[in-house]
Amino acid sequence: MSAEQQHNDADHQPTDVEDALRIVLRKSLEVNGLVRGLSEVARSLDRRTAHLCILAEDCEDPQYKTLIEALCRQNNIDIVMVKERSKLAEWAGLVKLDGEGNIKKTFKCSSVSIKDFGERTKSLDMLLEKLK
């Protein structure tokens, strides 16, 4: 994605919560504020360094989901559910791209947490409003 497209994401009004979440995750990734991987996500929730957790509904391991949900509840961290692990992986930058920038391979990602949102965007405002 070009710098111009990323800049436009910050200015544009998100169409829905999913679109807002995609932009918030990208902004967080840009400032190294996105935590990926079960042990890192669990650690960020346990230490209360995470501001928000995103969990995929299609996570195949019920114990994984229970752990993440319990840590969020215990530490008062908001949790947002998304339908597909593959979509979450794409938004979290866990993809391989070909020469033209098209997605060649998507990995699975059942949860991420955000410890730094990066810049304040309309998408972040929309997401935070929904969590109230």
Side-chain angles (χ1 to χ4, degrees):
M1 173 169 296
S2 72
E4 187 178 311
Q5 283 175 302
Q6 289 177 349
H7 179 71
N8 289 344
D9 272 352
D11 297 332
H12 107 249
Q13 188 66 40
T15 52
D16 56 21
V17 174
E18 199 171 84
D19 189 37
L21 190 57
R22 176 185 62 81
I23 294 166
V24 167
L25 286 172
R26 180 166 310 121
K27 292 293 171 193
S28 177
L29 188 60
E30 286 173 13
V31 296
N32 203 23
L34 191 63
V35 180
R36 305 175 291 191
L38 175 60
S39 45
E40 288 81 8
V41 169
R43 194 175 309 122
S44 74
L45 297 173
D46 196 38
R47 292 180 178 166
R48 295 181 173 93
T49 56
H51 301 298
L52 178 66
C53 181
I54 298 92
L55 180 62
E57 290 175 10
D58 67 349
C59 174
E60 294 168 350
D61 184 346
Q63 289 178 322
Y64 183 116
K65 285 174 85 170
T66 303
L67 171 68
I68 296 297
E69 289 169 341
L71 285 169
C72 287
R73 228 182 356 263
Q74 175 186 325
N75 296 304
N76 263 347
I77 296 168
D78 288 322
I79 187 167
V80 175
M81 301 299 283
V82 295
K83 287 194 182 341
E84 302 165 38
R85 293 181 302 164
S86 56
K87 201 173 269 189
L88 182 56
E90 183 183 329
W91 296 341
L94 296 170
V95 291
K96 280 190 179 175
L97 304 174
D98 64 16
E100 285 107 46
N102 299 314
I103 295 173
K104 188 167 71 173
K105 181 178 180 180
T106 303
F107 298 92
K108 299 282 190 272
C109 177
S110 292
S111 68
V112 297
S113 64
I114 297 176
K115 60 182 183 179
D116 184 349
F117 288 111
E119 67 181 284
R120 189 80 187 218
T121 60
K122 291 176 182 171
S123 298
L124 178 56
D125 292 338
M126 178 186 195
L127 202 56
L128 294 175
E129 186 61 36
K130 180 180 181 334
L131 294 170
K132 281 185 182 171

